[in-house]
Amino acid sequence: MGEAFWGMHHFCWAMVGLQRADRAGTPPQTRTFLINVAISDFFYVIKNSPPDFVMLPEVHYRIGEARVLLGEYVSALDEFAKSRKHKPDYWPAYVGEANVLMKVGKKKEAAELLKGALKLMPNQPNILEALGRANAAPANTTRPRQKPAPAGQKAPG
């Protein structure tokens, strides 16, 4: 790990912070605070690491995940792209980016990204699973038919 080793405890702190933010019962304000502190710790690792540091793809991926938790999708996409740039065959960054694209309604773009990933990593199961979700038909948005109400009662909703 070289000199970057001395800052890696910030990566661990960030991961613990994200775990705490995800606990049931964490108030929204505390959750947001913990996620933002985690992002700061991840950036500490980046700032104190050489450009070829082996953990950079993972750090950028984790920042992307944290940005998703905050609803900051554009920033998340940027972090996933940085992760892929550092390590083009790092599948989590492709799946993370595709998940965001699907979340904002861009299933076709997500599918194209994942098809490109499969060229680098043929038959990678996580990419194949995400591609299946991207290619899935849209969810049924029609309401199911309700049974008629018994005589003398008002029909539900």
Side-chain angles (χ1 to χ4, degrees), residues 81-99:
K82 288 177 185 175
S83 178
R84 291 188 298 110
K85 180 181 174 196
H86 284 287
K87 188 170 181 355
D89 63 346
Y90 185 59
W91 70 261
Y94 290 91
V95 172
E97 187 169 340
N99 286 340

Side-chain angles (χ1 to χ4, degrees), residues 51-138:
D52 63 345
F53 182 48
V54 69
M55 288 289 293
L56 286 179
E58 176 75 10
V59 175
H60 283 292
Y61 168 73
R62 296 298 178 171
I63 294 170
E65 281 190 323
R67 297 283 191 201
V68 169
L69 294 174
L70 293 174
E72 299 173 2
Y73 300 128
V74 173
S75 296
L77 291 171
D78 184 47
E79 293 300 326
F80 292 135
K82 288 177 185 175
S83 178
R84 291 188 298 110
K85 180 181 174 196
H86 284 287
K87 188 170 181 355
D89 63 346
Y90 185 59
W91 70 261
Y94 290 91
V95 172
E97 187 169 340
N99 286 340
V100 172
L101 291 170
M102 287 186 273
K103 188 174 281 218
V104 299
K106 297 183 176 183
K107 283 189 168 190
K108 186 174 181 177
E109 287 182 35
E112 292 304 315
L113 174 71
L114 294 166
K115 287 175 188 174
L118 284 173
K119 290 178 184 173
L120 293 170
M121 300 161 277
N123 300 318
Q124 206 296 327
N126 297 301
I127 295 173
L128 290 170
E129 188 271 331
L131 183 58
R133 285 186 286 112
N135 287 329

